[in-house]
Amino acid sequence: MLWLCCFSACLAAPFTYQGRLIDSGALANGSFELRLRLYDQQSGGTQIGADQTLAAVAVTNGLFTVTLNFGGTAFDGNARWLEIAARRAGGSEAIEVLAPRQPVNAVPYAMFALESANDAATQILIGQLVSTVNTLSNQLQTTSLAGLSAASSEMSDTNLLSRGFQRFQTLPPPDWRSGTSVGVPTARVGHGAVWTGSRLMIWGGFLGGSTFSANGAIYDPAADLWTPISNAGAPSARRGSSAVWTGTSLLVWGGFNGTYLATGGEYVASSSTWTALPSLNAPAEREGHSTVWTGSRLVLFGGRNAGGLLADGAVFDPGTRLWSSLPTAGAPAARFNAAAVWTGTNMVVWGGQGEAGEVGTGAILPIAGGTAPGAWTAMNAIGALSARQGHSAVWTGRKILYFGGRQGGVPLGDGAAFDPVDNSWSPIPSTGAPSARSAHSAVWTGSEMLIFGGETSDGTTASGAAYNPTTGAWRTLSNGGSPQTRSSAPAVWSGSELILFGGVASGSPLSALQRLDPQPAWYLYRKP
């Protein structure tokens, strides 16, 4: 096992660490147990603070993000190194210490703010602050030196104000940026979208009228470049198909094009080739089903077809190219448009449209390694959200965060966190939450849930918000750069940006790609 990593942190505890994990020469996927220790030397030395043990960290295409807290005095300006040990979550093998230790640099808030500065004067100002803040910012809790400067994401930071600091400069958050219009795919909604680790890949969708798409494209955000996906051997045109990235290929299955479909294909990016998915033992045709990728298999559940709503599902293993059925005992009631999340060990299905309206129930299905799925367990109803569809769900590595949706056509503006280990619910604070909405986009950044767009009581919106479960606080996303109003737009997180393509506004499909670095506004403070 080889460890490659990068580091991103805030000044004070807790901080965010981002890294990449390679397992047996391939980008790791799935759930991993991590143990992290802080030392004052690259080898040997003294451990600082307590072990940080995380039982189930989600790793997707090798990438993961964790929040660590070694205490407020861990970073005093001296060098620090992080020792990381890892193994598969739930594994019985000894945890493996990965070498070498990684250097940790406390990057000041002002350095982050520099990236969003839009004028030369501001950049010069921040440059003057960097050397001071870099050395002293971690000592703010005990230091009140005259002339000391700092920065915060809080407009009225009580910690700084109580120590006599005064706010003297505001740095706005980054604006939304539009992708190139050269080679952009046709406007569409109901398409599949996946993040490959470096590129956005989209395929299929509804183009308007009675027209569906059988083509797709790949967007490279580093080059701001669209490249078409080969049509040779591609599945038939459709909307609402499953779409997952395996680490080397795109899998699509099912959907609707005037007829419900039970076909699909695998697109291997390296060879630009399509291969049809097998039909033997494949599930019945459907759309509106929920899909997750486990790291080795595609799992789908529910949906609808000409016969009505469905309460069955299936597993597809691209390695063996075999389909197998999900257990039906204890499965959720028939539904479509449910939210499904993969936790690293379980598929969790909740909400959606049922036979008699929206539902507020769900179930947990354990799936370990290459073995058959286990038994469904009903999600606890105590403290659960009200019945809904059109809601979002993201996995934080520990809990599922649900937000919004609609019931009886009325948008909802509440949310909750679900812990699949304890099978328990807890509410998400409503203070500062975005307006009630459904069919919005949502991603997990590693530290925040980003919500954008959707349908509100006033129509399609271009507003958004970020929720930090560690602090329990909401903040508003930037509206600079004229973000496009849209709903039903698949979204991906690139590791640094929210990227959106397509969707619908005022009943018309969209072709606009926009991207946002979700950094907050920064407020500079100085001690007189």
Side-chain angles (χ1 to χ4, degrees):
M1 186 180 290
L2 173 65
W3 182 266
L4 302 173
C5 68
C6 58
F7 177 74
S8 174
C10 296
L11 287 176
F15 64 87
T16 300
Y17 185 90
Q18 298 175 320
R20 174 171 292 178
L21 183 63
I22 297 178
D23 188 7
S24 301
L27 293 176
N29 282 283
S31 183
F32 285 79
E33 177 185 346
L34 300 183
R35 187 195 68 206
L36 301 101
R37 293 173 175 172
L38 191 67
Y39 286 89
D40 62 357
Q41 299 290 335
Q42 187 170 14
S43 61
T46 301
Q47 182 176 348
I48 298 170
D51 288 4
Q52 304 285 292
T53 300
L54 306 173
V57 175
V59 180
T60 303
N61 297 325
L63 300 177
F64 71 91
T65 305
V66 294
T67 299
L68 305 175
N69 188 346
F70 292 102
T73 61
F75 298 97
D76 59 3
N78 292 310
R80 297 288 183 257
W81 282 266
L82 198 63
E83 179 190 90
I84 306 166
R87 66 181 170 191
R88 287 277 177 182
S92 58
E93 71 275 17
I95 195 165
E96 181 180 358
V97 177
L98 308 170
R101 291 175 183 169
Q102 300 298 314
V104 177
N105 301 307
V107 182
Y109 287 143
M111 189 70 81
F112 283 114
L114 178 61
E115 297 177 3
S116 62
N118 294 318
D119 62 274
T122 301
Q123 293 184 16
I124 292 172
L125 172 64
I126 297 173
Q128 294 170 344
L129 295 177
V130 166
S131 60
T132 301
V133 178
N134 213 14
T135 304
L136 299 176
S137 56
N138 283 312
Q139 302 176 36
L140 286 177
Q141 295 182 359
T142 57
T143 303
S144 298
L145 301 177
L148 181 64
S149 297
S152 171
S153 61
E154 297 182 26
M155 185 170 63
S156 298
D157 191 315
T158 56
N159 184 46
L160 293 174
L161 293 174
S162 66
R163 287 172 170 77
F165 284 79
Q166 298 177 358
R167 190 176 73 244
F168 69 93
Q169 181 79 21
T170 299
L171 303 175
D175 290 345
W176 284 84
R177 294 190 293 158
S178 295
T180 179
S181 60
V182 177
V184 67
T186 308
R188 66 193 65 202
V189 65
H191 51 289
V194 300
W195 178 249
T196 70
S198 60
R199 293 170 174 81
L200 166 69
M201 185 178 292
I202 66 105
W203 187 85
F206 175 63
L207 307 183
S210 59
T211 305
F212 300 85
S213 175
N215 60 42
I218 301 171
Y219 177 73
D220 183 342
D224 190 23
L225 177 69
W226 284 101
T227 304
I229 289 175
S230 171
N231 291 330
S236 58
R238 66 193 66 197
R239 75 175 187 211
S241 65
S242 300
V244 299
W245 177 251
T246 70
T248 56
S249 62
L250 167 70
L251 297 180
V252 299
W253 185 87
F256 178 82
N257 63 3
T259 300
Y260 294 99
L261 302 168
T263 58
E266 179 177 14
Y267 180 76
V268 178
S270 60
S271 60
S272 300
T273 56
W274 283 99
T275 303
L277 296 190
S279 59
L280 180 65
N281 296 323
E285 67 277 2
R286 67 192 68 200
E287 75 157 344
H289 48 289
S290 305
T291 307
V292 299
W293 173 250
T294 71
S296 60
R297 292 181 286 180
L298 177 154
V299 186
L300 62 89
F301 175 82
R304 64 180 176 182
N305 60 22
L309 304 188
L310 301 166
D312 63 344
V315 177
F316 177 71
D317 186 332
T320 62
R321 296 188 61 78
L322 295 176
W323 286 98
S324 57
S325 298
L326 292 184
T328 56
R335 65 191 67 196
F336 72 97
N337 287 350
V341 170
W342 175 248
T343 70
T345 55
N346 300 289
M347 178 186 191
V348 182
V349 177
W350 187 84
Q353 179 71 29
E355 298 283 3
E358 293 88 352
V359 296
T361 59
I364 305 167
L365 180 68
I367 306 175
T371 62
W376 288 98
T377 299
M379 294 172 69
N380 196 341
I382 298 174
L385 290 169
S386 59
R388 64 193 65 200
Q389 66 166 315
H391 52 294
S392 60
V394 299
W395 173 243
T396 70
R398 183 170 178 267
K399 295 183 179 182
I400 304 170
L401 303 181
Y402 295 96
F403 181 79
R406 64 183 181 274
Q407 184 183 96
V410 178
L412 302 171
D414 59 342
F418 178 74
D419 187 332
V421 176
D422 296 340
N423 198 357
S424 63
W425 293 86
S426 56
I428 288 176
S430 58
T431 302
S435 58
R437 65 192 64 202
S438 66
H440 49 281
S441 304
V443 299
W444 175 249
T445 70
S447 59
E448 293 181 307
M449 171 177 67
L450 305 184
I451 299 293
F452 179 80
E455 296 293 335
T456 71
S457 57
D458 296 323
T460 312
T461 184
S463 65
Y467 174 69
N468 185 325
T470 301
T471 62
W474 286 96
R475 64 180 179 87
T476 302
L477 291 181
S478 170
N479 62 0
S482 302
Q484 168 72 55
T485 59
R486 69 179 86 205
S487 65
S488 301
V492 299
W493 175 247
S494 73
S496 60
E497 289 184 313
L498 167 67
I499 303 179
L500 299 161
F501 173 79
V504 66
S506 301
S508 299
L510 302 170
S511 63
L513 180 141
Q514 289 188 309
R515 45 201 286 200
L516 176 70
D517 178 345
Q519 289 187 39
W522 294 103
Y523 303 94
L524 303 185
Y525 292 78
R526 180 186 296 124
K527 181 69 179 293

